[in-house]
């Protein structure tokens, strides 16, 4: 099912609504330290807004603006019609998105106080049925991403990619704690690429019992992001440092990792070298962080090409 003439990127991961609420006081003033075993509090939240979220949607959104060909394979709930309409407006294919009629779309409820402390609750909803999707139904494909999703779905889609001969990037993200060492070693054995932030990568090494060199030695590329310190790419027996691109403003890190991964996938699908691929990914993360939410920033492929040349002194190709 792999087709090197195709640039279609299958994106397996979550679709979610993020409900953002703002409490104008401090949580600490409503919580009594010696009574935390029987908490019963209510916070008045005068402001509430909804953001479109989920790793799969965030990655696809960035990849679409780059001129890539993203294909989201994910699950929505009975309340997902609004998201499908958004994808149609953006020109992102929905043919691999399954609606689970007896569930709600995954939702994250975030309440922040005036000090930006947060209390979060996450309802996985339809995401728990992601294993009902099959990679083999949606070829031909150039590459796939297995991003945070339902546990069973992530396991199944890794096996599906191997069976279909589709190279894939394993990006466990916040779902990494769901898997034990044996399962993580199996993901790495199957994957062509692994991407993680520095904290996740430390956990990955701890759980697998493998060093960075051992993990990198089993992959075409290992990518580790380190925030404002840039990122590292281990490929072809070498360790490459990718510089961070200074942002015009630091507003919200939500979705920066997804924007970065979109750059990686675009580079892979188009045959860029790893230095260029990593620098493109870094630039997209910088563009995203200057905007609130995971899908409110805008750019064009031509604009990114110009910013790339300005930041790195050569043309992206």
């Amino acid at each position: 099912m792999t087709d090197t003439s195709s640039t279609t990127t299958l994106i397996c991961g979550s679709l979610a609504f993020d409900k953002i609420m703002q409490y104008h006081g401090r949580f600490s003033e409503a919580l009594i330290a010696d009574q935390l075993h029987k908490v019963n509090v209510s916070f008045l939240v005068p402001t509430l807004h909804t953001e479109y979220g989920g790793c799969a949607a965030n990655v696809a959104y960035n990849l679409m603006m780059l001129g890539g060909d993203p294909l989201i394979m994910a699950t929505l709930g009975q309340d997902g019609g609004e998201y499908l309409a958004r994808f149609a407006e953006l020109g992102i294919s929905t043919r691999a998105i399954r609606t689970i009629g007896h569930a709600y779309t995954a939702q994250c409820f975030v309440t922040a106080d005036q000090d930006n402390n947060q209390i979060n609750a996450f309802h996985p909803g339809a995401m728990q049925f992601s294993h009902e999707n099959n990679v083999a139904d949606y070829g031909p494909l150039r590459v796939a991403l297995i991003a945070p999703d339902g546990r069973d779905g992530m396991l199944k889609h890794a096996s599906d990619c191997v069976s279909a001969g589709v190279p894939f990037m394993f990006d466990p993200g916040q779902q990494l704690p769901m898997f034990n060492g044996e399962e993580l070693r199996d993901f790495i054995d199957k994957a062509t690429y692994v991407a993680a932030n520095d904290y996740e990568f430390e956990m990955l090494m701890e759980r697998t019992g493998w060093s960075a060199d051992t993990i990198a030695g089993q992959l075409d590329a290992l990518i580790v992001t380190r925030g404002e310190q840039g990122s590292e790419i281990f490929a072809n027996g070498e360790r490459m440092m990718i510089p961070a691109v200074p942002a015009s403003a630091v507003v919200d890190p939500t979705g920066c990792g997804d924007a970065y991964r979109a750059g990686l996938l675009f580079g892979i699908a188009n045959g860029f070298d790893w230095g260029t691929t990593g620098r493109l990914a870094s630039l997209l993360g910088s563009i995203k962080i200057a905007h609130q939410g995971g899908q409110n920033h805008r750019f064009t492929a031509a604009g990114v090409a110009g910013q790339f040349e300005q930041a790195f002194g050569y043309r992206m190709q």
Side-chain angles (χ1 to χ4, degrees):
M1 223 169 75
T2 303
D3 182 352
T4 54
S5 66
S6 171
T7 58
T8 300
T9 299
L10 187 70
I11 304 172
C12 309
S14 61
L15 298 176
F17 295 121
D18 297 331
K19 309 288 188 178
I20 315 296
M21 293 162 279
Q22 185 68 49
Y23 172 55
H24 291 175
R26 292 184 170 89
F27 295 142
S28 59
E29 294 172 353
L31 299 172
I32 302 172
D34 62 356
Q35 298 295 311
L36 295 180
H37 62 289
K38 54 177 182 179
V39 173
N40 185 0
V41 295
S42 176
F43 300 106
L44 177 66
V45 288
T47 59
L48 164 67
H49 71 276
T50 299
E51 295 281 1
Y52 295 100
C55 298
N58 292 345
V59 173
Y61 178 77
N62 287 277
L63 193 54
M64 173 273 301
M65 289 191 291
L66 275 177
D69 183 19
L71 179 61
I72 297 171
M73 190 173 80
T75 46
L76 282 171
Q78 57 186 281
D79 55 343
E82 179 184 345
Y83 224 148
L84 293 174
R86 173 175 171 79
F87 289 139
E89 183 179 343
L90 291 170
I92 295 175
S93 174
T94 60
R95 66 186 177 92
I97 297 175
R98 182 184 297 264
T99 296
I100 308 299
H102 56 82
Y104 289 103
T105 300
Q107 299 186 45
C108 185
F109 301 87
V110 180
T111 303
D113 72 3
Q114 69 180 41
D115 295 327
N116 207 32
N117 296 307
Q118 293 185 354
I119 296 176
N120 298 342
F122 182 73
H123 172 64
M127 197 176 83
Q128 298 173 99
F129 300 92
S130 61
H131 59 278
E132 295 184 8
N133 284 323
N134 303 301
V135 172
D137 294 341
Y138 300 110
L141 304 166
R142 175 63 181 85
V143 66
L145 171 70
I146 297 180
D149 204 350
R151 171 186 161 84
D152 291 344
M154 294 177 73
L155 290 165
K156 179 179 184 297
H157 299 152
S159 295
D160 283 357
C161 285
V162 172
S163 297
V166 177
F168 74 88
M169 178 178 294
F170 178 49
D171 171 25
Q174 68 267 29
Q175 298 293 65
L176 195 154
M178 292 194 309
F179 302 105
N180 61 35
E182 181 179 355
E183 290 165 334
L184 291 169
R185 287 190 292 270
D186 188 57
F187 271 120
I188 294 168
D189 285 338
K190 290 183 169 85
T192 310
Y193 321 97
V194 166
N197 65 33
D198 46 4
Y199 179 82
E200 294 159 356
F201 187 58
E202 290 296 325
M203 183 182 294
L204 187 63
M205 289 191 291
E206 180 182 345
R207 292 212 169 184
T208 60
W210 286 347
S211 67
D213 288 341
T214 299
I215 294 172
Q218 299 183 63
L219 303 163
D220 283 8
L222 165 66
I223 303 98
V224 181
T225 60
R226 301 190 180 279
E228 67 277 5
Q229 297 176 11
S231 52
E232 298 173 276
I233 297 179
F234 301 79
N236 304 316
E238 300 180 355
R239 172 176 170 269
M240 186 180 309
M241 292 301 301
I242 304 297
V245 177
S248 59
V250 178
V251 175
D252 180 14
T254 304
C256 286
D258 298 325
Y260 185 100
R261 279 144 184 77
L264 294 178
L265 293 166
F266 187 84
I268 291 168
N270 288 278
F272 292 175
D273 63 79
W274 280 110
T276 298
T277 297
R279 284 170 171 79
L280 172 61
S282 181
L283 175 58
L284 293 195
S286 173
I287 293 171
K288 202 315 302 168
I289 203 170
H291 300 80
Q292 190 72 35
Q295 297 175 41
N296 294 319
H297 56 296
R298 299 283 190 275
F299 60 78
T300 65
V304 164
Q307 288 178 270
F308 184 97
E309 185 172 4
Q310 182 177 15
F312 301 113
Y314 71 97
R315 292 187 178 182
M316 180 177 63
Q317 57 185 3

